[in-house]
Amino acid sequence: MIALVTGAAGFIGSHLCEHLLAAGDQVRAVDAFTEYYARDVKEENLAGLSAQDGFTFVEGDLEEMPLAPLVEGVDVVYHLAGQPGVRSSWGSDFAVYVRRNVVATQRLLEACRRAPPAKLVYASSSSVYGDALTHPTPESACPHPVSPYGVTKLAGEHLCELYRSAFCVPTASLRLFTVYGPRQRPDMAFSRLVECALRGDVFELFGDGGQTRDTTFVGDVVEAMRAAAASPWVGVANVGGGVRVSMSEVVARVSSLCGPVDVARSSGGAGDVRHTSADTRLAAAAFGYRPRTTLDEGLRVMVEYERSRQAVPA
């Protein structure tokens, strides 16, 4: 199996590459090293991959580079590249989100239209739901994003469905719910929390701590992606961790692993949702998805990984 992974140097992308290689797949990886966070962090994500047999890396931007050579001979496309972040998607930066989340996706689908893979797996987001009225939230709930970021991720889903119906490109869009784990993006809450806990720094908590999230360990996410790619199923499905937890509870659990955390609360930002919760019955039926990692297990792995990076004694 030859797999193309876009956004391969990112948090989920690098874990997916590792997972695919361990499963015996060949991986063709691409990343643009955009400025959203430091290039050296992304290069560190790739460090363990570069020397592995079956792994090739191309630096390039999906908005500009020729994509036909990239998809040629590929069995599965995993499209994870894009501009992340809810709070920074407002204002003039929205144009960046449109280019990287919508235009780049359309260009990739056009390339796949000419040489269809067996499956294109698109990394969507729970942000498409906005403030959902039903919890757990099923895929039948009407999407109502409350951030420009969520709008662009929903647009990517719609493009996948359009190219599937018009040109028979087999697409699977997975709505990911709060993915966490080692190498999580440095701007994300769990990553900042663990780093602050180990360094003794003040953790800035956006909101009152009562907001809840369905948290999904990255290892479960990449298994879901490969399972979706291997199945005949196409469409849109939730991928969540099965447990909804408040941010105050997450702080308490990290404190139990690292010691007390000094928390400074600030107001939530525009586009932040109050609660998320995934109904994953469709994913379970369609491609056998079952989250296996508990929050405590996942946080423990995150803490151990960050300790090893910071050389902080246990």
Side-chain angles (χ1 to χ4, degrees):
M1 183 78 70
I2 301 175
L4 170 65
V5 179
T6 74
F11 162 45
I12 303 175
S14 59
H15 280 277
L16 177 61
C17 289
E18 290 177 351
H19 178 69
L20 296 175
L21 289 168
D25 295 344
Q26 297 180 51
V27 175
R28 186 180 300 169
V30 61
D31 202 288
F33 293 103
T34 61
E35 72 289 347
Y36 189 82
Y37 59 99
R39 180 183 179 115
D40 62 348
V41 174
K42 299 174 188 178
E43 289 179 337
E44 184 179 350
N45 291 344
L46 291 176
L49 294 166
S50 301
Q52 292 195 42
D53 292 339
F55 181 80
T56 58
F57 179 77
V58 177
E59 181 174 351
D61 192 330
L62 299 181
E63 300 171 51
E64 301 170 353
M65 66 188 296
L67 298 185
L70 200 62
V71 302
E72 184 179 2
V74 165
D75 299 301
V76 177
V77 174
Y78 297 93
H79 181 36
L80 283 70
Q83 185 77 352
V86 167
R87 293 184 182 89
S88 56
S89 65
W90 301 90
S92 60
D93 283 346
F94 180 61
V96 177
Y97 283 78
V98 171
R99 291 198 309 272
R100 292 178 180 168
N101 295 350
V102 182
V103 174
T105 299
Q106 188 270 342
R107 291 192 77 234
L108 183 62
L109 286 163
E110 273 291 314
C112 290
R113 168 190 170 185
R114 294 175 174 83
K119 186 69 65 68
L120 184 148
V121 178
Y122 169 66
S124 187
S125 167
S126 62
S127 294
V128 304
Y129 289 118
D131 285 305
L133 300 178
T134 304
H135 296 284
T137 307
E139 293 83 358
S140 58
C142 182
H144 192 270
V146 294
S147 68
Y149 167 74
V151 168
T152 62
K153 296 305 289 184
L154 183 58
E157 278 189 18
H158 286 326
L159 284 168
C160 287
E161 291 296 288
L162 285 171
Y163 276 78
R164 181 165 68 86
S165 60
F167 303 115
C168 298
V169 178
T171 61
S173 297
L174 304 184
R175 292 173 174 170
L176 309 181
F177 282 68
T178 310
V179 185
Y180 73 101
R183 305 201 297 268
Q184 189 187 47
R185 283 197 337 261
D187 62 299
M188 296 183 74
F190 284 27
S191 177
R192 293 187 298 105
L193 172 59
V194 169
E195 183 175 2
C196 288
L198 291 175
R199 292 186 181 276
D201 296 336
V202 176
F203 169 65
E204 184 179 12
L205 174 61
F206 299 110
D208 60 10
Q211 66 271 33
T212 62
R213 295 291 181 267
D214 191 326
T215 59
T216 321
F217 188 68
V218 66
D220 292 330
V221 168
V222 299
E223 287 186 3
M225 288 181 165
R226 191 169 190 272
S231 76
W233 171 83
V234 290
V236 178
N238 294 330
V239 172
V243 177
R244 194 169 101 187
V245 63
S246 72
M247 279 305 302
S248 291
E249 177 62 22
V250 173
V251 171
R253 295 191 189 199
V254 171
S255 295
S256 71
L257 293 169
C258 304
V261 181
D262 191 2
V263 177
R265 287 178 168 80
S266 60
S267 60
D272 287 348
V273 300
R274 184 66 177 170
H275 305 293
T276 69
S277 179
D279 182 334
T280 59
R281 288 176 294 178
L282 192 158
F287 48 90
Y289 174 66
R290 298 284 191 284
R292 298 189 300 174
T293 308
T294 68
L295 179 60
D296 286 334
E297 290 169 344
L299 288 175
R300 189 176 301 111
V301 172
M302 276 194 79
V303 168
E304 289 172 356
Y305 172 78
E306 193 60 30
R307 273 200 175 109
S308 69
R309 289 186 71 246
Q310 295 186 11
V312 176

